[in-house]
Amino acid sequence: MIQKIVTKKESKKMSICSRIFAACSLVLLTSAGAFGASVFPGVVRTSAGEADFTIELTPEEYAAVKAEPRAILYVARNDRRLSSGKGGAGRGWQKCKYHMEGQTIKLRLPVKDEIQRTLIMYVPPVEKKRGVKGTTIFTAAFYPVDDDLFRRFPLKGDFHSHSSESDGKYDPETVGAHGRKAGLDFLALTDHYQLAPSVTLLKNFERFSLSSYLLLPGEEFHSKPTVLHSVAIGHSRGVNDWSNAHVEEFEQEVKAAGKIFEDQGLNKFELYATACAEVLYNKAREFGARLVIFSHPYNRPGHRFNAPPAHVDALLKRRNFDAIELGYGLQNRTVFTTLAKLRDEAREGRFYPVVGVSDAHDTSTRLGYSCTIAFAPTPDLDGIADAVKNDFSVVGRLAEKDGAIFLGNFRLVNFAYFLHEFYFPRHDEICRRQGETILKWLETREAEKLRDTKQELEKQQQELNEYQQKFWAH
């Protein structure tokens, strides 16, 4: 059905009941917590020039649209290149031509520039009076992107978490299940001084055949006499296993590395700590680490910084790591102190990749609040590492009272906000069910129930695959 704009005279003949029903439907929709109108595809290539879209409506939204023939579909006029329709609700909006097919809306729009396109179905007020506003039946959006970004996978994950194998609350498998329940696409278990728990987690999770959830080998390594904390991801041999087993060799290498920092003005303790970092960073890479991450450089466990600022300055200048933790649990002071330091570094021409992590010890409540969204060229560890190292990732702070915060380059932050609002909610809901399915099996770990668990996970995975195929215009 082609959109029809009725006259004022015709509008007065409309049933008052139908207008009330439409308004009530909107109230029910916004309070129900269900997914609202969705645009498919949600992400399209700018190189396509134009694209066909389908807006899938909820039953409440469909009823509201049918009950109100004065409803008008608008698209945000984010630039001056939109050519579909005539005029709009003010300078910022332009009318769209569309037709209905069942409970869906079909339309075609230009997709020439990389910016969010918001669509609203709006019912203007019957009488134009000051202060009288119309009603919005639904809001939806799509996002054209250039080919280099379209080819990348937005993977949400966490590079820093702990289990009961060090100082965490839960066993490794439960930590892994909590990660999926929190909506993560990847998770690194990084227990203190040891790689083995993360390797065991990977092996044990193979029983679930959950291909879209990447569990990464990881370790939080530090030499006990120093305050250095760092994370290695993807290595095959424990960094601290080596330093503990080869104490004399370790100390010799630390002594040699100390010469690198002799002109930094460090005291004896700071020089030793910084040299330890240099040696352990090199060992992590020797053992195959895809990422070496400098952990929470400005954490304040008491009334002081965990690491002396001079020690941190020396590590920043040396830059023998791949990224710095910016997001750290719920501690905004740590996050924004680090951000302030990186701003000062940027003014001197020094730039560092950053990642968001939870450092979760109680993974049932803290996973997913602080994370990284890596726009990876391939959905694997190598792709994630590539994204972090080449500034194709953003830090996400998702537990803020007044809304999510994303930190990174301007282009990706804008895209991340769109995905957070229009893509990840349904993605996260499916992941939540997968995590709950695993947690339920872990309660008993009964072998005879594993087959049913795998079948349920496979069904959920198929649902996620189909959703992702619809959302990206492949």
Side-chain angles (χ1 to χ4, degrees):
M1 179 178 69
I2 303 299
Q3 173 186 323
K4 177 184 179 183
I5 308 299
V6 302
T7 65
K8 185 174 181 180
K9 181 177 180 181
E10 290 174 326
S11 71
K12 291 181 179 179
K13 296 180 182 180
M14 290 176 57
S15 166
I16 295 178
C17 292
S18 68
R19 294 178 196 168
I20 294 175
F21 177 75
C24 290
S25 297
L26 181 63
V27 172
L28 288 171
L29 171 69
T30 55
S31 62
F35 301 112
S38 299
V39 180
F40 295 107
V43 178
V44 297
R45 297 176 186 264
T46 56
S47 57
E50 289 187 330
D52 294 313
F53 296 95
T54 298
I55 305 176
E56 296 185 358
L57 306 177
T58 66
E60 293 86 0
E61 289 165 341
Y62 174 70
V65 172
K66 293 293 288 184
E68 183 53 89
R70 296 183 306 116
I72 305 170
L73 184 63
Y74 290 105
V75 64
R77 193 197 297 264
N78 289 313
D79 56 44
R80 299 304 173 192
R81 299 182 180 180
L82 286 169
S83 58
S84 299
K86 300 178 181 178
R91 296 180 180 178
W93 298 92
Q94 185 165 339
K95 292 181 183 179
C96 300
K97 294 180 180 180
Y98 70 89
H99 67 278
M100 301 288 297
E101 288 186 10
Q103 291 189 192
T104 67
I105 291 174
K106 302 285 188 177
L107 69 160
R108 185 174 181 82
L109 288 171
V111 291
K112 297 179 180 179
D113 294 285
E114 194 175 83
I115 195 165
Q116 179 176 318
R117 306 293 191 208
T118 301
L119 295 153
I120 63 169
M121 183 65 80
Y122 178 75
V123 182
V126 176
E127 298 184 20
K128 294 183 179 180
K129 292 184 178 180
R130 184 181 297 273
V132 178
K133 297 182 179 181
T135 301
T136 299
I137 297 176
F138 67 78
T139 301
F142 63 94
Y143 207 113
V145 296
D146 295 340
D147 285 352
D148 67 321
L149 185 53
F150 185 88
R151 289 191 294 264
R152 290 176 175 263
F153 300 81
L155 303 177
K156 180 168 62 174
D158 193 336
F159 293 108
H160 194 159
S161 65
H162 294 277
S163 78
S164 56
E165 293 297 309
S166 60
D167 56 348
K169 185 175 180 179
Y170 299 99
D171 65 84
E173 285 182 272
T174 301
V175 172
H178 283 156
R180 192 56 165 178
K181 183 180 177 181
L184 301 184
D185 298 302
F186 67 87
L187 174 68
L189 178 61
T190 53
D191 279 318
H192 294 278
Y193 306 117
Q194 49 188 331
L195 173 66
S198 67
V199 176
T200 299
L201 173 59
L202 265 73
K203 183 177 180 180
N204 289 345
F205 250 63
E206 289 176 358
R207 62 166 67 99
F208 301 121
S209 302
L210 199 57
S211 60
S212 65
Y213 183 38
L214 302 174
L215 292 167
L216 311 178
E219 170 187 10
E220 185 169 12
F221 61 87
H222 38 106
S223 54
K224 293 182 181 179
T226 78
V227 293
L228 164 73
H229 285 226
S230 294
V231 164
I233 305 294
H235 52 312
S236 59
R237 182 181 176 186
V239 176
N240 278 132
D241 287 343
W242 172 82
S243 64
N244 293 335
H246 302 83
V247 176
E248 184 176 347
E249 182 182 352
F250 173 63
E251 292 297 340
Q252 289 175 351
E253 293 193 21
V254 169
K255 184 177 180 180
K259 297 178 180 180
I260 299 172
F261 305 98
E262 286 180 339
D263 62 345
Q264 299 290 316
L266 303 174
N267 63 33
K268 185 177 180 180
F269 173 77
E270 293 165 347
L271 181 62
Y272 181 76
T274 308
C276 284
E278 178 74 10
V279 172
L280 296 179
Y281 286 163
N282 290 337
K283 283 298 174 183
R285 290 199 173 85
E286 180 183 329
F287 298 155
R290 305 294 200 281
L291 285 173
V292 176
I293 301 169
F294 186 8
S295 299
H296 44 70
Y298 294 103
N299 180 32
R300 297 175 67 94
H303 299 284
R304 60 169 179 78
F305 288 124
N306 186 53
H311 161 67
V312 175
D313 288 346
L315 289 178
L316 291 176
K317 185 176 181 179
R318 177 65 174 166
R319 195 180 174 175
N320 193 18
F321 51 80
D322 299 307
I324 299 174
E325 287 183 357
L326 183 55
Y328 174 59
L330 304 178
Q331 299 184 21
N332 280 337
R333 179 169 181 170
T334 300
V335 172
F336 289 100
T337 300
T338 307
L339 188 63
K341 178 62 175 178
L342 295 181
R343 175 182 177 275
D344 292 344
E345 291 287 305
R347 293 178 66 178
E348 300 296 324
R350 295 184 292 271
F351 301 91
Y352 307 89
V354 294
V355 295
V357 303
S358 68
D359 194 2
H361 290 67
D362 181 353
T363 53
S364 65
T365 59
R366 292 183 62 184
L367 282 177
Y369 286 172
S370 183
C371 64
T372 299
I373 299 179
F375 296 92
T378 53
D380 52 27
L381 175 53
D382 287 337
I384 293 169
D386 176 276
V388 170
K389 293 175 182 179
N390 292 292
D391 201 26
F392 264 97
S393 64
V394 299
V395 173
R397 305 280 293 166
L398 309 185
E400 302 301 324
K401 182 179 179 181
D402 297 323
I405 296 174
F406 291 102
L407 302 168
N409 71 55
F410 179 81
R411 180 193 189 195
L412 297 183
V413 164
N414 274 290
F415 192 37
Y417 271 112
F418 164 79
L419 295 174
H420 177 68
E421 184 175 0
F422 295 102
Y423 166 69
F424 278 117
R426 193 168 298 189
H427 163 280
D428 291 358
E429 193 276 332
I430 299 171
C431 293
R432 177 189 59 77
R433 286 188 274 121
Q434 288 186 316
E436 290 176 346
T437 298
I438 296 171
L439 285 169
K440 183 178 180 181
W441 182 83
L442 290 174
E443 290 177 359
T444 62
R445 300 175 188 257
E446 295 179 16
E448 58 271 19
K449 293 184 178 181
L450 181 58
R451 180 179 178 182
D452 291 340
T453 297
K454 292 179 64 175
Q455 289 178 343
E456 183 64 22
L457 289 171
E458 184 179 350
K459 179 180 177 181
Q460 293 159 347
Q461 186 58 52
Q462 181 63 31
E463 182 182 354
L464 180 59
N465 292 343
E466 291 175 356
Y467 170 60
Q468 292 171 331
Q469 286 292 324
K470 286 176 62 177
F471 202 85
W472 265 261
H474 293 287

